[in-house]
Amino acid sequence: GTVLRGSFTASGTTPRWYEVDILSFVLAAIAGGRTQLTLVLRSPIVTNSLGVFSSDETDTAPHLLMGLSTILL
């Protein structure tokens, strides 16, 4: 099933970074024996606004940063 793991508000039209801490979600999944995770970003309400994400070919490419030393402790 779908479980809300966190939320944030994206606003404005200026490109910017958003940080989402999913460490507890990842650690719980690893502890449960999972080897794959799926993350979904979506609006909780119906809206005409669109989220735009940069591709990896741009100067503002998206990043997923993980500290493995933290996960392995």
Side-chain angles (χ1 to χ4, degrees):
T2 301
V3 177
L4 178 65
R5 299 292 177 186
S7 66
F8 63 93
T9 301
S11 62
T13 57
T14 303
R16 68 184 75 189
W17 292 100
Y18 291 95
E19 295 185 19
V20 180
D21 184 354
I22 59 167
L23 180 60
S24 61
F25 172 59
V26 172
L27 291 176
I30 291 170
R34 294 188 180 188
T35 59
Q36 296 181 3
L37 297 173
T38 300
L39 301 175
V40 177
L41 297 175
R42 68 175 173 198
S43 175
I45 59 171
V46 176
T47 177
N48 289 331
S49 299
L50 297 175
V52 178
F53 299 88
S54 295
S55 71
D56 61 355
E57 291 88 12
T58 66
D59 291 338
T60 57
H63 290 79
L64 175 62
L65 304 175
M66 297 180 66
L68 292 178
S69 61
T70 302
I71 292 174
L72 296 177
L73 291 178

Coordinates of all heavy atoms in Angstrom, one line a residue:
G1 N 0.8 -1.2 0.0 CA 0.0 0.0 0.0 C 0.9 1.3 0.0 O 2.1 1.2 0.2
T2 N 0.2 2.4 -0.2 CA 0.9 3.6 -0.2 C 0.9 4.3 1.2 O -0.2 4.3 1.8 CB 0.2 4.6 -1.2 OG1 0.2 4.0 -2.5 CG2 0.9 5.9 -1.2
V3 N 2.0 4.7 1.6 CA 2.2 5.3 2.9 C 2.9 6.6 2.7 O 4.0 6.7 2.1 CB 3.0 4.4 3.9 CG1 3.2 5.1 5.2 CG2 2.3 3.1 4.1
L4 N 2.4 7.7 3.3 CA 3.0 9.0 3.2 C 4.2 9.0 4.1 O 4.1 8.8 5.3 CB 2.1 10.1 3.6 CG 2.6 11.5 3.6 CD1 3.0 12.0 2.2 CD2 1.6 12.5 4.2
R5 N 5.4 9.3 3.6 CA 6.7 9.2 4.3 C 7.1 10.6 4.7 O 8.0 10.8 5.5 CB 7.8 8.6 3.5 CG 7.5 7.1 3.2 CD 7.5 6.3 4.4 NE 7.1 4.9 4.0 CZ 6.9 4.0 4.9 NH1 7.0 4.2 6.2 NH2 6.6 2.8 4.5
G6 N 6.6 11.6 4.1 CA 7.0 13.0 4.4 C 6.3 13.9 3.4 O 5.7 13.5 2.5
S7 N 6.5 15.2 3.7 CA 5.9 16.2 2.8 C 6.7 17.5 2.8 O 7.4 17.7 3.8 CB 4.4 16.5 3.1 OG 4.3 17.1 4.4
F8 N 6.6 18.3 1.8 CA 7.1 19.6 1.7 C 6.3 20.4 0.7 O 5.6 19.9 -0.1 CB 8.6 19.5 1.3 CG 8.9 19.0 -0.1 CD1 9.0 19.8 -1.2 CD2 9.0 17.6 -0.3 CE1 9.3 19.4 -2.4 CE2 9.3 17.1 -1.5 CZ 9.4 18.0 -2.6
T9 N 6.5 21.7 0.8 CA 5.8 22.6 -0.1 C 6.7 23.2 -1.1 O 7.7 23.8 -0.7 CB 5.0 23.7 0.7 OG1 4.1 23.1 1.6 CG2 4.3 24.6 -0.3
A10 N 6.5 23.0 -2.4 CA 7.3 23.6 -3.4 C 6.5 24.8 -3.9 O 5.3 24.7 -4.2 CB 7.5 22.6 -4.6
S11 N 7.2 25.9 -4.0 CA 6.5 27.1 -4.5 C 7.4 28.0 -5.3 O 8.6 27.9 -5.3 CB 6.0 27.9 -3.3 OG 7.1 28.3 -2.5
G12 N 6.8 28.8 -6.1 CA 7.5 29.8 -6.9 C 8.0 29.1 -8.2 O 7.7 28.0 -8.5
T13 N 8.6 29.9 -9.1 CA 9.1 29.4 -10.4 C 10.6 29.5 -10.5 O 11.1 29.1 -11.5 CB 8.5 30.3 -11.5 OG1 8.8 31.7 -11.3 CG2 7.0 30.2 -11.5
T14 N 11.3 29.9 -9.4 CA 12.7 30.0 -9.5 C 13.3 28.6 -9.2 O 12.9 27.9 -8.2 CB 13.3 30.9 -8.4 OG1 12.7 32.2 -8.6 CG2 14.8 31.0 -8.4
P15 N 14.2 28.1 -10.0 CA 14.8 26.7 -9.8 C 15.4 26.7 -8.4 O 16.2 27.6 -8.0 CB 15.8 26.6 -10.9 CG 15.3 27.5 -12.0 CD 14.7 28.6 -11.3
R16 N 15.2 25.7 -7.7 CA 15.8 25.5 -6.3 C 15.9 24.1 -5.9 O 15.2 23.2 -6.5 CB 15.1 26.3 -5.3 CG 13.7 25.8 -5.0 CD 12.9 26.6 -4.1 NE 12.4 27.8 -4.8 CZ 11.9 28.8 -4.3 NH1 11.7 28.9 -3.0 NH2 11.5 29.8 -5.1
W17 N 16.7 23.8 -5.0 CA 16.8 22.4 -4.4 C 15.8 22.2 -3.3 O 15.5 23.2 -2.5 CB 18.2 22.2 -3.8 CG 19.3 22.2 -4.8 CD1 20.2 23.2 -5.1 CD2 19.7 21.1 -5.6 NE1 21.0 22.8 -6.1 CE2 20.8 21.5 -6.4 CE3 19.2 19.8 -5.8 CZ2 21.4 20.7 -7.4 CZ3 19.8 19.0 -6.7 CH2 20.9 19.4 -7.5
Y18 N 15.3 21.0 -3.2 CA 14.5 20.7 -2.0 C 15.1 19.4 -1.4 O 15.5 18.5 -2.1 CB 13.0 20.3 -2.4 CG 12.3 21.5 -2.9 CD1 12.2 21.9 -4.2 CD2 11.6 22.4 -2.0 CE1 11.5 23.0 -4.7 CE2 10.9 23.5 -2.4 CZ 10.9 23.8 -3.7 OH 10.2 24.9 -4.1
E19 N 15.3 19.4 -0.1 CA 15.8 18.3 0.6 C 14.8 17.5 1.3 O 13.9 18.1 2.0 CB 16.9 18.8 1.6 CG 18.1 19.4 0.9 CD 19.2 19.7 1.9 OE1 19.2 19.2 3.0 OE2 20.0 20.6 1.5
V20 N 14.8 16.2 1.2 CA 13.8 15.3 1.9 C 14.6 14.3 2.6 O 15.4 13.5 2.0 CB 12.8 14.7 0.9 CG1 11.8 13.8 1.6 CG2 12.1 15.8 0.1
D21 N 14.5 14.2 3.9 CA 15.2 13.2 4.7 C 14.4 11.9 4.7 O 13.4 11.8 5.4 CB 15.5 13.7 6.1 CG 16.3 12.8 6.9 OD1 16.7 11.7 6.5 OD2 16.7 13.2 8.1
I22 N 14.9 10.9 4.0 CA 14.3 9.6 4.0 C 15.1 8.5 4.7 O 14.9 7.3 4.5 CB 13.9 9.2 2.6 CG1 15.2 9.1 1.7 CG2 12.9 10.1 1.9 CD1 15.0 8.4 0.4
L23 N 16.0 8.9 5.5 CA 16.9 7.9 6.2 C 16.2 6.9 7.0 O 16.5 5.7 6.8 CB 18.0 8.7 7.1 CG 19.0 7.7 7.8 CD1 19.8 7.0 6.7 CD2 19.8 8.5 8.7
S24 N 15.2 7.3 7.8 CA 14.5 6.3 8.6 C 13.7 5.3 7.7 O 13.7 4.1 8.0 CB 13.6 7.0 9.6 OG 12.6 7.7 8.9
F25 N 13.2 5.8 6.6 CA 12.5 4.9 5.6 C 13.5 3.9 5.0 O 13.2 2.7 5.0 CB 11.9 5.8 4.6 CG 11.3 5.0 3.4 CD1 10.3 4.1 3.6 CD2 11.7 5.3 2.1 CE1 9.7 3.4 2.5 CE2 11.2 4.6 1.0 CZ 10.2 3.6 1.2
V26 N 14.6 4.4 4.6 CA 15.6 3.5 4.0 C 16.1 2.5 5.0 O 16.2 1.3 4.7 CB 16.8 4.3 3.4 CG1 17.9 3.4 3.0 CG2 16.3 5.2 2.3
L27 N 16.4 2.9 6.2 CA 16.9 2.0 7.3 C 15.9 0.9 7.6 O 16.2 -0.2 7.8 CB 17.4 2.8 8.5 CG 18.6 3.6 8.4 CD1 18.8 4.4 9.6 CD2 19.8 2.8 8.0
A28 N 14.6 1.3 7.7 CA 13.6 0.4 8.0 C 13.4 -0.7 6.9 O 13.2 -1.9 7.1 CB 12.2 1.1 8.3
A29 N 13.5 -0.2 5.7 CA 13.4 -1.1 4.5 C 14.6 -2.1 4.5 O 14.4 -3.3 4.3 CB 13.4 -0.3 3.2
I30 N 15.8 -1.6 4.8 CA 17.0 -2.5 4.8 C 16.8 -3.5 6.0 O 17.0 -4.7 5.8 CB 18.3 -1.7 5.0 CG1 18.6 -0.9 3.7 CG2 19.4 -2.6 5.4 CD1 19.7 0.1 3.9
A31 N 16.4 -3.1 7.1 CA 16.1 -4.0 8.3 C 15.1 -5.0 8.0 O 15.1 -6.1 8.5 CB 15.7 -3.1 9.5
G32 N 14.1 -4.6 7.1 CA 13.1 -5.6 6.7 C 13.5 -6.5 5.6 O 12.6 -7.2 5.1
G33 N 14.7 -6.4 5.1 CA 15.2 -7.3 4.1 C 15.0 -6.8 2.6 O 15.2 -7.5 1.7
R34 N 14.5 -5.6 2.5 CA 14.2 -5.1 1.1 C 15.5 -4.7 0.5 O 16.4 -4.2 1.1 CB 13.3 -3.9 1.2 CG 11.9 -4.2 1.7 CD 11.0 -3.1 1.5 NE 9.7 -3.6 2.0 CZ 8.6 -2.9 1.8 NH1 8.6 -1.7 1.2 NH2 7.4 -3.3 2.3
T35 N 15.6 -4.9 -0.8 CA 16.7 -4.5 -1.6 C 16.4 -3.4 -2.7 O 17.3 -3.0 -3.4 CB 17.4 -5.7 -2.3 OG1 16.4 -6.3 -3.2 CG2 17.9 -6.7 -1.3
Q36 N 15.1 -3.1 -2.8 CA 14.7 -2.1 -3.7 C 13.6 -1.2 -3.1 O 12.8 -1.7 -2.3 CB 14.0 -2.7 -5.0 CG 15.0 -3.5 -5.8 CD 14.3 -4.1 -7.0 OE1 13.2 -3.8 -7.3 NE2 15.1 -4.9 -7.8
L37 N 13.7 0.1 -3.4 CA 12.7 1.1 -2.9 C 12.1 1.9 -4.0 O 12.8 2.1 -5.0 CB 13.3 2.0 -1.9 CG 13.9 1.4 -0.6 CD1 14.7 2.5 0.2 CD2 12.8 0.8 0.2
T38 N 10.9 2.3 -3.9 CA 10.3 3.2 -4.9 C 9.9 4.5 -4.2 O 9.3 4.5 -3.1 CB 9.1 2.6 -5.5 OG1 9.4 1.4 -6.1 CG2 8.4 3.5 -6.5
L39 N 10.3 5.6 -4.7 CA 10.0 7.0 -4.2 C 9.1 7.6 -5.2 O 9.4 7.6 -6.4 CB 11.2 7.8 -4.0 CG 12.2 7.2 -3.0 CD1 13.5 8.1 -2.9 CD2 11.6 7.1 -1.6
V40 N 8.0 8.3 -4.8 CA 7.1 8.9 -5.7 C 6.9 10.4 -5.1 O 6.6 10.5 -3.9 CB 5.7 8.2 -5.7 CG1 4.7 8.9 -6.6 CG2 5.9 6.8 -6.2
L41 N 6.9 11.3 -6.0 CA 6.6 12.7 -5.7 C 5.3 13.0 -6.4 O 5.1 12.9 -7.6 CB 7.7 13.7 -6.2 CG 9.0 13.5 -5.6 CD1 10.0 14.5 -6.3 CD2 9.0 13.8 -4.1
R42 N 4.3 13.5 -5.6 CA 3.0 13.8 -6.1 C 2.3 14.8 -5.3 O 2.6 15.0 -4.1 CB 2.1 12.6 -6.4 CG 1.7 12.0 -5.1 CD 0.7 10.8 -5.5 NE 0.4 10.1 -4.3 CZ -0.1 8.9 -4.3 NH1 -0.4 8.3 -5.4 NH2 -0.4 8.3 -3.1
S43 N 1.4 15.5 -5.9 CA 0.6 16.5 -5.2 C -0.6 15.9 -4.5 O -1.2 15.0 -5.0 CB 0.0 17.6 -6.2 OG -0.8 18.5 -5.5
P44 N -0.8 16.2 -3.2 CA -1.9 15.6 -2.5 C -3.3 16.2 -2.9 O -4.3 15.7 -2.5 CB -1.7 16.0 -1.0 CG -0.9 17.3 -1.1 CD -0.1 17.2 -2.4
I45 N -3.3 17.2 -3.8 CA -4.5 17.8 -4.3 C -4.5 17.9 -5.8 O -3.4 17.9 -6.4 CB -4.8 19.2 -3.7 CG1 -3.6 20.1 -4.1 CG2 -5.0 19.2 -2.2 CD1 -3.9 21.6 -3.8
V46 N -5.7 17.9 -6.4 CA -5.7 18.1 -7.9 C -5.4 19.5 -8.2 O -6.0 20.4 -7.6 CB -7.2 17.7 -8.4 CG1 -7.3 18.0 -9.9 CG2 -7.4 16.2 -8.1
T47 N -4.5 19.7 -9.1 CA -4.1 21.1 -9.4 C -3.7 21.2 -10.9 O -3.4 20.1 -11.5 CB -2.9 21.5 -8.5 OG1 -2.5 22.8 -8.9 CG2 -1.8 20.6 -8.6
N48 N -3.7 22.4 -11.4 CA -3.2 22.6 -12.8 C -1.8 22.9 -12.9 O -1.2 23.0 -13.9 CB -4.0 23.7 -13.5 CG -5.5 23.3 -13.8 OD1 -5.7 22.1 -14.0 ND2 -6.4 24.2 -13.8
S49 N -1.1 23.1 -11.7 CA 0.3 23.4 -11.7 C 1.1 22.1 -12.0 O 0.7 21.0 -11.7 CB 0.7 23.8 -10.3 OG 0.0 25.0 -9.9
L50 N 2.3 22.3 -12.6 CA 3.1 21.2 -13.0 C 4.5 21.4 -12.3 O 5.0 22.5 -12.1 CB 3.4 21.2 -14.5 CG 2.2 21.0 -15.4 CD1 2.6 21.2 -16.8 CD2 1.6 19.6 -15.1
G51 N 5.0 20.3 -11.8 CA 6.4 20.2 -11.3 C 7.3 20.0 -12.4 O 7.1 19.1 -13.3
V52 N 8.4 20.7 -12.5 CA 9.3 20.6 -13.6 C 10.7 20.2 -13.0 O 11.2 20.8 -12.1 CB 9.5 21.9 -14.4 CG1 10.5 21.7 -15.5 CG2 8.1 22.3 -15.0
F53 N 11.3 19.1 -13.5 CA 12.5 18.6 -13.0 C 13.6 18.7 -14.1 O 13.3 18.4 -15.2 CB 12.4 17.2 -12.5 CG 11.4 17.0 -11.4 CD1 10.1 16.8 -11.7 CD2 11.9 17.1 -10.1 CE1 9.2 16.6 -10.7 CE2 10.9 16.9 -9.1 CZ 9.6 16.7 -9.3
S54 N 14.8 19.1 -13.7 CA 15.9 19.2 -14.7 C 16.4 17.9 -15.0 O 16.4 17.0 -14.2 CB 17.0 20.1 -14.1 OG 16.6 21.4 -13.9
S55 N 16.9 17.7 -16.3 CA 17.5 16.5 -16.7 C 19.0 16.5 -16.2 O 19.5 17.5 -15.8 CB 17.4 16.3 -18.2 OG 18.3 17.2 -18.8
D56 N 19.6 15.3 -16.3 CA 21.0 15.2 -15.9 C 22.0 15.9 -16.8 O 23.2 16.0 -16.5 CB 21.4 13.8 -15.6 CG 21.3 12.9 -16.8 OD1 20.9 13.4 -17.9 OD2 21.7 11.7 -16.7
E57 N 21.5 16.4 -17.9 CA 22.4 17.1 -18.9 C 22.5 18.6 -18.5 O 23.2 19.4 -19.2 CB 21.9 17.0 -20.3 CG 22.0 15.6 -20.9 CD 20.8 14.7 -20.6 OE1 19.7 15.3 -20.1 OE2 20.9 13.5 -20.8
T58 N 21.8 19.1 -17.5 CA 21.8 20.5 -17.2 C 22.7 20.9 -16.0 O 23.1 20.0 -15.3 CB 20.3 21.0 -16.9 OG1 19.9 20.4 -15.7 CG2 19.4 20.7 -18.0
D59 N 22.9 22.1 -15.8 CA 23.7 22.6 -14.7 C 22.9 22.4 -13.3 O 23.5 22.4 -12.3 CB 24.0 24.1 -14.8 CG 25.0 24.3 -15.9 OD1 25.7 23.4 -16.3 OD2 25.1 25.5 -16.4
T60 N 21.6 22.2 -13.4 CA 20.8 22.0 -12.2 C 20.3 20.6 -12.2 O 19.1 20.3 -11.8 CB 19.7 23.0 -12.1 OG1 18.9 22.9 -13.3 CG2 20.2 24.4 -12.0
A61 N 21.1 19.6 -12.6 CA 20.6 18.2 -12.6 C 20.2 17.7 -11.2 O 20.8 18.1 -10.2 CB 21.8 17.3 -13.1
P62 N 19.2 16.9 -11.1 CA 18.7 16.3 -9.8 C 19.8 15.4 -9.2 O 20.6 14.8 -10.0 CB 17.5 15.6 -10.2 CG 17.6 15.2 -11.6 CD 18.4 16.3 -12.2
H63 N 19.8 15.3 -7.9 CA 20.8 14.4 -7.2 C 20.1 13.6 -6.1 O 19.1 14.1 -5.5 CB 21.8 15.3 -6.5 CG 22.8 16.0 -7.4 ND1 22.5 17.1 -8.1 CD2 24.0 15.6 -7.8 CE1 23.5 17.5 -8.8 NE2 24.5 16.6 -8.7
L64 N 20.5 12.4 -6.0 CA 20.1 11.6 -4.8 C 21.3 11.4 -4.0 O 22.2 10.7 -4.5 CB 19.4 10.3 -5.3 CG 19.1 9.3 -4.2 CD1 18.0 9.9 -3.2 CD2 18.6 8.0 -4.7
L65 N 21.4 12.0 -2.9 CA 22.6 11.8 -2.1 C 22.4 10.9 -0.9 O 21.4 11.1 -0.2 CB 23.1 13.2 -1.5 CG 23.3 14.3 -2.6 CD1 23.6 15.6 -1.9 CD2 24.4 13.9 -3.5
M66 N 23.3 9.9 -0.7 CA 23.1 9.0 0.4 C 24.5 8.8 1.0 O 25.5 8.7 0.3 CB 22.6 7.6 -0.1 CG 21.2 7.7 -0.7 SD 20.6 6.1 -1.3 CE 20.5 5.2 0.3
G67 N 24.5 8.8 2.4 CA 25.8 8.5 3.1 C 25.8 7.1 3.5 O 25.1 6.7 4.4
L68 N 26.5 6.3 2.7 CA 26.5 4.8 3.0 C 27.1 4.5 4.4 O 26.7 3.6 5.0 CB 27.3 4.1 1.9 CG 26.6 4.0 0.6 CD1 27.5 3.3 -0.4 CD2 25.3 3.4 0.7
S69 N 28.1 5.3 4.9 CA 28.6 5.0 6.2 C 27.5 5.2 7.3 O 27.6 4.4 8.2 CB 29.8 6.0 6.5 OG 29.3 7.3 6.4
T70 N 26.6 6.1 7.1 CA 25.5 6.2 8.0 C 24.6 5.0 8.0 O 24.2 4.5 9.0 CB 24.7 7.5 7.7 OG1 25.5 8.6 7.7 CG2 23.5 7.6 8.7
I71 N 24.3 4.5 6.8 CA 23.4 3.3 6.6 C 24.0 2.1 7.2 O 23.3 1.3 7.8 CB 23.0 3.2 5.2 CG1 22.1 4.3 4.7 CG2 22.3 1.9 4.9 CD1 21.8 4.3 3.3
L72 N 25.3 1.9 7.0 CA 26.0 0.7 7.5 C 26.2 0.6 9.0 O 26.6 -0.4 9.5 CB 27.3 0.5 6.7 CG 27.1 0.3 5.2 CD1 28.5 0.3 4.5 CD2 26.3 -0.9 4.9
L73 N 26.1 1.7 9.7 CA 26.4 1.7 11.1 C 25.4 1.0 11.9 O 24.3 0.9 11.7 CB 26.5 3.2 11.6 CG 27.7 4.0 11.1 CD1 27.6 5.4 11.7 CD2 29.0 3.3 11.6

